[in-house]
Amino acid sequence: MTKQPNIKLAGQVPADETVVYLLSDKAHAQSIPLTKPEQAYLLSKLETDEKCISINSYFKWNFVVMLPENTETPEAIEKIRMLGSDVFKHLLKNKTTDVFVSDFSKSPKPAMAFAEGIVLSAYRFNKYFTDRDKKEIDLNTISLVSDCITDVDVFRLNTLCEAVYLARDIVNEPLSHMSAHKLAEKIQEVGQNAGIGVEVFDKKRVEALRMGGLLAVNRGSIDPPSFSIMTYKPANAINEKPYVVVGKGIVFDTGGLSLKPTQGSMDSMKSDKAGAAAACAILFAVAKAQLPLYVIALIPATDNRPGENAYAPQDVITMYDGTTVEVLNTDAEGRMILADALAYAKKYEPELVVDLATLTGAAVVAVGTIAIAAMSNNSACLETLKQSGQTSYERLVELPLWEEYGELIKSDVADLKNIGGRFAGTITAGKFLEHFTDYPWIHLDIAGTAYLDGNDSYRGKAATGSGVRLLFDFFSKKCNS
């Protein structure tokens, strides 16, 4: 696991430690223990409406952050996370090992969001550098000085950040170190560490279950597929029917015989397991935080290659539930393995199923890298998840699943075809998945948010852990409703 700074509570601010002061009012500046010249410098900067002011006190640094107005809004909280990311750059440059955050806001949210922004910005995937020890960040602890924050708040925030780190680590692993089998081993390790039951179906079991979609995609690979089931069912669970999270686990996607171009496409396809990474990390967070919920994760996994006996355009595949699918593009493989998992989920008679997948390039075209494309057959469930999207700022854009879109995936030779043509690609992919559900269901296409080409504040570069913070907030609220 990548090194993660630890957030903790502290009773007071030491005189010799680097401190960040969070102010909701300029008048609070008078209460900061500074020398007269430092105080005068601070007041002059505040008069120019600077939001983040750094003061070098020779033996330590002081940072003064002016919080946005009305810190209860999601927009303000997101700005505070980003301010945390900005301050982290200074901490990194100065090789700061410990920082205190003194909160004048009289609310738990600003300091928590600020710490979250620092920790998520501190993520580094240094595993394969020969000098990785030299590349590790120096920051070890973030101490929060606040009367409004509880030990439970801090524990859950540390857990959430750990889960995001976990998801990022899984996505950032290359195929050479993360085959479908290795992914299943990682899931088992996570389960053992967090008290989650894990069952892994090997290829023989997948064949016995006739999971035709997963087997078809795997036919081009020399490595076998896996199908992992994570089950967290505490004795005090408040739900009898489970929530099920399904994650797309394409550990690498060449496109199969419908081969992708390399630059700007195939060269980032280790990211195609981001849904699986999120599902695993969400179960980890729920279990580690001991939320009283019965939650299951289903993770079908394989790579998609053009070798061996690879499935081909115009093949007809019989899926787990008996549906026949005409394959017109082998690069539309994610929906094939997800369909088997969604059909398998019926056996649990679930309260709700949420799938996460880097499913379509069309989602990136539609909503870019700042939103998740969402579709659902249950408007009430989706509205609740949208609220968590605002809180976590992993926001959802709803796309329709109107009946007419189903016409676009009708086949001349089978029940369905696996692509719907040039238009509405994200929607027709969702419409394809909907066929395999008979329960409340939400589909999240995280293709735009899961993996970034450039650095973006606390989301970082490469794997972001998209979906983890969203669903952890959703499940946490379920416990309080």
Side-chain angles (χ1 to χ4, degrees), residues 311 325-329 332 335-336 416-420 432:
Y311 80 135
V325 175
E326 180 189 13
V327 175
L328 292 182
N329 189 323
R335 67 201 71 181
M336 299 293 287
L416 299 173
K417 55 185 180 181
N418 78 329
I419 57 170
F432 180 91

Side-chain angles (χ1 to χ4, degrees), residues 52-349:
C52 184
I53 302 155
S54 56
I55 302 170
N56 186 348
S57 297
Y58 302 107
F59 58 91
K60 70 165 190 171
W61 282 85
N62 292 295
F63 298 93
V64 179
V65 175
M66 282 303 305
L67 298 172
E69 294 182 6
N70 189 7
T71 55
E72 297 298 307
T73 68
E75 292 79 10
I77 292 298
E78 176 66 1
K79 288 178 182 177
I80 295 169
R81 291 189 193 100
M82 296 177 77
L83 285 167
S85 182
D86 290 341
V87 169
F88 172 73
K89 295 173 186 175
H90 292 279
L91 302 177
L92 183 65
K93 182 179 179 180
N94 296 319
K95 297 185 177 182
T96 303
T97 57
D98 302 284
V99 62
F100 284 72
V101 178
S102 182
D103 183 13
F104 284 74
S105 69
K106 305 303 180 184
S107 167
K109 291 183 180 180
M112 295 280 284
F114 190 81
E116 182 181 15
I118 292 177
V119 175
L120 296 184
S121 298
Y123 175 85
R124 298 291 185 273
F125 189 71
N126 294 330
K127 182 177 177 181
Y128 297 110
F129 287 108
T130 54
D131 61 346
R132 58 183 173 273
D133 291 342
K134 296 179 181 178
K135 294 181 180 293
E136 289 288 356
I137 63 165
D138 297 287
L139 187 62
N140 294 318
T141 60
I142 303 163
S143 299
L144 305 183
V145 181
S146 171
D147 296 331
C148 307
I149 298 172
T150 68
D151 288 329
V152 172
D153 292 332
V154 171
F155 175 71
R156 287 195 174 180
L157 182 55
N158 276 317
T159 297
L160 176 58
C161 291
E162 189 177 356
V164 173
Y165 272 44
L166 169 62
R168 290 178 179 180
D169 277 352
I170 291 173
V171 174
N172 283 329
E173 284 284 357
L175 175 62
S176 54
H177 291 74
M178 188 64 80
S179 64
H181 174 70
K182 289 291 186 182
L183 175 59
E185 285 186 343
K186 181 64 178 180
I187 292 167
Q188 289 174 311
E189 176 191 322
V190 170
Q192 187 173 13
N193 291 340
I196 302 166
V198 177
E199 184 178 11
V200 177
F201 296 167
D202 61 12
K203 185 174 181 178
K204 287 185 177 179
R205 184 72 182 276
V206 173
E207 287 174 334
L209 290 169
R210 298 182 180 180
M211 291 185 169
L214 179 55
L215 290 167
V217 177
N218 180 251
R219 273 167 39 188
S221 176
I222 61 171
D223 297 322
S226 64
F227 188 92
S228 300
I229 303 171
M230 305 177 75
T231 304
Y232 176 67
K233 189 177 184 181
N236 62 339
I238 60 176
N239 55 313
E240 292 184 8
K241 295 181 177 182
Y243 294 100
V244 178
V245 183
V246 179
K248 173 188 171 184
I250 297 294
V251 292
F252 194 83
D253 183 18
T254 68
L257 289 177
S258 304
L259 197 66
K260 293 177 181 287
T262 298
Q263 188 173 8
S265 182
M266 197 198 299
D267 56 1
S268 62
M269 280 300 108
K270 67 181 183 182
S271 67
D272 220 16
K273 57 184 180 297
C280 175
I282 290 159
L283 262 287
F284 168 83
V286 168
K288 189 82 179 286
Q290 298 182 339
L291 299 186
L293 291 177
Y294 176 20
V295 188
I296 293 170
L298 303 178
I299 302 173
T302 179
D303 55 314
N304 182 28
R305 299 203 198 199
E308 297 292 302
N309 187 31
Y311 80 135
Q314 296 193 316
D315 278 357
V316 175
I317 306 301
T318 301
M319 309 294 282
Y320 170 74
D321 70 347
T323 299
T324 56
V325 175
E326 180 189 13
V327 175
L328 292 182
N329 189 323
T330 64
D331 195 24
E333 86 299 326
R335 67 201 71 181
M336 299 293 287
I337 72 170
L338 284 174
D340 280 344
L342 291 172
Y344 188 83
K346 294 177 184 178
K347 66 174 287 186
Y348 298 107
E349 299 181 1

